[in-house]
Amino acid sequence: MKILVVGSGGREHAIISAIVRSKPDAEIYCAPGNGGISDIARTVPIKQDDIGGLAGFAKSEKINLTVVGPELPLSLGIVDEFNANGLRIFGPDRSSSLLESSKQYAKAFLQRNGIKTAGYRSFTSFDAAMGFVENKPHPAVIKANGLAAGKGVFISKSIAESKKYLDLILNKKIFGEAGETVIVEDYINGIELSYMIVTDGNVYKSLATTMDYKKAHDGDKGENTGGMGSISPHPLISRDLEESIKRTVIDPVLNSLKKEGTVYKGVLYAGLMIKDNDIYVLEFNVRFGDPETQSILIRLKSNIVELFESCIDGKLDAYDLEFEENNSICLVMASSGYPSNYETGYEIDFDGVGSSTADIYNDKNFFIFHAGTKKKDGKYWTAGGRVLNLCAKGSNIPHIINTVYNAAEKIHFKNAYFRNDIGRNVWMP
Ligand code: GLY
């Protein structure tokens, strides 16, 4: 069986690692991949937004299954293009992907279906947006409508700050087309968490819960990032809360999609805010979270290839999705300065841990997934903001925390940076 994974991050490395465990004889390709992925899959230099190129490759190589990691190709219609060419692909189609690629679309969908979300207005004109925020209580949330690589959301504490963010997005166009429309949203001060499910368009199954560390620095300080770490299960999602999330968010969302004629297949990630026992949907992602997926998939007991296939075939009902009864952690090693300005191109020295790949090292419970790396002349080099994901699983929480932090101290590259409180702040406060 030939499998193509689209993407180049730690999430894709973790997906490929799970595919290797599920189907050791599969021939795996990754476009474009990264340094670590190149050790366990054949990397193909096709960019994730080159939909025609990816479809052409899948056709000529007779790829049996394609799995899409990031949102960009989904929003560009990779699934529609592959389906039109008779190619099997896991992920939602272009119109379903609007739930992530247009915040305005997602908010309107939630409102018209009576699903709780923060109140909002959308604007294309700076003056009209200013007229609104000048009379709005602050804090307020200002968001670019389109895809902005996790950087498009600002919490504004004052009218002056709102003016600065609106100017950056609408006048200075820092997000390009993605910022042509701006959403100004009510700020809800509650507990933020996320919940991921996988669906075949008929039934859904919940993924293991996970907590993402979005902020750059310890104590949840600093800029929003794509995620600096994750732990699973989520320590705050009790069985009762999980049932409420399903009843008040997941069921109505999937029923509303069906009612509106959308057959949603793939992963749906709901970003939620909980306040006074009410659950609000803040946003959707139409894909696996990164780095949430890394801590989830190392706990996966079931066969991931069968999961993808059963979603495509509408047979998820008969699929048994099981996770190990343990805990897991993912620590992101980044280039200092991420997510703003950072340098790349530095050699990564793995000598201290004896392995550079996702291969299970030592006690079979420690994994290295590569994100922004490339391999050249047999050596690994930094090539992005998030560089490596150090992951561990087990029932002994202090042990898994120590495993990833000891490894982080032994892996060296210039300007390496990581948070010191992943897992520790909730498991060992
Ligand atoms: N970690 C958040 C995301 O994947 O969007």
Side-chain angles (χ1 to χ4, degrees), residues 212 226 269 285 287 289-292:
D212 180 23
Y269 172 128
N285 295 327
R287 49 164 176 86
D290 182 350
E292 294 93 322

Side-chain angles (χ1 to χ4, degrees), residues 11 71 100 149-150 194 196 212-214 225-229 269 283 285 287-293 386:
R11 166 184 51 206
E71 60 279 17
E100 178 166 359
S194 54
M196 271 186 273
D212 180 23
Y213 288 76
K214 280 192 168 51
T225 70
M228 294 300 292
Y269 172 128
E283 61 183 23
N285 295 327
R287 49 164 176 86
F288 286 111
D290 182 350
E292 294 93 322
T293 300
R386 291 189 289 178

Side-chain angles (χ1 to χ4, degrees), residues 343-385:
E343 293 169 7
T344 61
Y346 297 118
E347 189 179 346
I348 308 170
D349 174 2
F350 289 99
D351 286 352
V353 291
S355 171
S356 57
T357 75
D359 291 348
I360 296 162
Y361 142 83
N362 237 350
D363 55 4
K364 292 187 185 285
N365 289 322
F366 173 69
F367 308 78
I368 300 175
F369 298 121
H370 288 221
T373 74
K374 66 179 177 198
K375 193 172 182 185
K376 203 168 149 231
D377 305 329
K379 294 178 177 169
Y380 302 89
W381 306 83
T382 65

